Amino acid sequence: LALLDRLDLLDYDKVAGYVASLQQADGSFAGDEWGEIDTRFSYCALSCLSLLGRKDQINVDKAVDFVLACMNFDGGFGCAPGAESHGGQIFCCVGALAIADALHHIRADELGWWLCERQLPGGGLNGRPEKLPDVCYSWWILSSLAMIRRLDWIDAEQLRLFILKAQDEIKGGIADRPGDEADVFHTFFGVCGVGLLGYTQEAGAGGYQGLKRVDPVYALPVETL
């Protein structure tokens, strides 16, 4: 709805009240009434409330404390305190801290090294050590690097080529890796990844016509925010 400029269709108070009701005493957020706790929900809650201008409906300081409790020795973040660092969870935690104006708590160099080490010889990124590269991490890893201002710590051109090789030359979509079936999930994150790398229409001759700048925190076009 934000992308379509139709947030006016929402009942802001009801949506914000529902999201706020999911915050727990330790600052974490449950995903629903059944109570699963995960840093993904911390990001989703803060993102929703930020887009609605309702961050004041929750205890932001406690939300930050919970996310920081999920920080690991390697500078990364997991889904809960003590859980292993993972690219997707790192995006959620770094994004949540960005929305809460708390990025200064991050050990940026340590996290930056963990993130840039996700790039494999073929140019693609994986989500954790010893895993295959996957186009979706062109968003999770890149956006996190962008938020901590370490985007230049990877080989952007090699990653761009990896994403392009994962395209289906007939259907036009993007797969998780070259040779696999394209799907809308990886197409979205592949396009966003290329945008984060700077190959947008603003880049002129080096960019792709029609590709707009994407905000690394909200995964929305910058012009939307």
Side-chain angles (χ1 to χ4, degrees):
L1 291 176
L3 186 62
L4 298 172
D5 195 24
R6 292 311 309 270
L7 287 176
D8 59 289
L9 296 174
L10 295 174
D11 184 323
Y12 280 33
D13 292 335
K14 282 189 176 180
V15 174
Y18 170 72
V19 173
S21 74
L22 297 171
Q23 188 170 31
Q24 309 299 299
D26 64 354
S28 65
F29 285 84
D32 50 40
E33 63 181 298
W34 288 279
E36 179 187 3
I37 302 298
D38 190 304
T39 48
R40 291 175 299 167
F41 307 139
S42 295
Y43 170 77
C44 290
L46 281 161
S47 183
C48 286
L49 294 175
S50 178
L51 290 171
L52 297 176
R54 295 288 196 278
K55 280 194 298 180
D56 59 347
Q57 298 293 301
I58 61 169
N59 188 322
V60 175
D61 289 339
K62 296 200 81 171
V64 168
D65 288 343
F66 175 75
V67 171
L68 293 177
C70 300
M71 186 189 297
N72 292 318
F73 72 93
D74 52 19
F77 296 84
C79 62
E84 71 169 316
S85 297
H86 182 282
Q89 303 294 153
I90 288 172
F91 163 77
C92 291
C93 291
V94 175
L97 293 175
I99 293 169
D101 297 318
L103 283 176
H104 57 281
H105 292 295
I106 291 176
R107 303 197 302 273
D109 282 347
E110 289 179 39
L111 177 57
W113 278 116
W114 191 96
L115 292 167
C116 74
E117 286 176 350
R118 304 279 62 76
Q119 189 163 36
L120 300 176
L125 302 167
N126 63 17
R128 48 188 169 144
E130 306 301 323
K131 296 295 184 179
L132 293 173
D134 189 316
V135 164
C136 72
Y137 291 107
S138 303
W139 173 259
W140 308 121
I141 301 297
L142 274 185
S143 57
S144 299
L145 285 168
M147 285 186 276
I148 63 172
R149 302 182 184 280
R150 303 293 190 280
L151 196 55
D152 59 342
W153 284 22
I154 63 161
D155 189 325
E157 179 60 11
Q158 287 301 308
L159 178 56
R160 182 184 72 89
L161 292 175
F162 174 80
I163 296 171
L164 295 181
K165 288 176 183 176
Q167 286 187 107
D168 186 315
E169 294 184 2
I170 297 175
K171 299 178 182 177
I174 300 175
D176 56 350
R177 59 187 61 88
D180 286 353
E181 183 69 20
D183 60 73
V184 70
F185 180 86
H186 290 92
T187 299
F188 172 72
F189 288 122
V191 170
C192 286
V194 173
L196 277 180
L197 290 171
Y199 297 99
T200 61
Q201 60 186 13
E202 290 87 355
Y208 295 103
Q209 187 62 35
L211 184 59
K212 299 178 180 180
R213 291 174 55 221
V214 179
D215 184 87
V217 178
Y218 295 97
L220 291 169
V222 171
E223 68 182 27
T224 301
L225 300 170

